[in-house]
Amino acid sequence: MAPWTKSALMSVLSKFIWGVRIMLEVTDISLQYGASQALKGVSVSAEVGKVTCILGRNGVGKTSLLRAVVGQHPIPAGSIAWQGET
């Protein structure tokens, strides 16, 4: 198992300290299309009752991220949890 990343550790600590309820948590995911790296080490979380927005210019991986979250693209690294279940 890989060592804790800073983002993963901060996520766990915020849940413990502040009692944050996480609806969606994406941790260090990577995604490739052949030899092209679409996502590398991406982490994001969406809390219950808050709005989360993914912004970026064309071609930076917004759609790839969403397709990975809904299961259209398998991810070789990282994890995706919906309401605490992977």
Side-chain angles (χ1 to χ4, degrees):
M1 185 157 96
W4 285 84
T5 63
K6 182 179 178 182
S7 62
L9 183 59
M10 293 304 292
S11 176
V12 169
L13 287 175
S14 69
K15 288 180 209 173
F16 179 74
I17 295 170
W18 304 108
V20 174
R21 292 181 19 206
I22 302 294
M23 179 174 51
L24 172 68
E25 186 163 28
V26 176
T27 307
D28 291 325
I29 68 167
S30 295
L31 177 65
Q32 293 179 306
Y33 298 110
S36 178
Q37 183 90 38
L39 302 172
K40 182 178 180 182
V42 175
S43 297
V44 66
S45 62
E47 297 177 23
V48 173
K50 293 191 176 181
V51 175
T52 301
C53 182
I54 307 296
L55 297 174
R57 59 183 173 76
N58 293 348
V60 296
K62 301 177 303 291
T63 302
S64 296
L65 173 63
L66 293 176
R67 287 181 177 161
V69 167
V70 300
Q72 284 185 338
H73 294 302
I75 55 169
S79 65
I80 299 171
W82 174 255
Q83 297 180 344
E85 297 182 24
T86 56

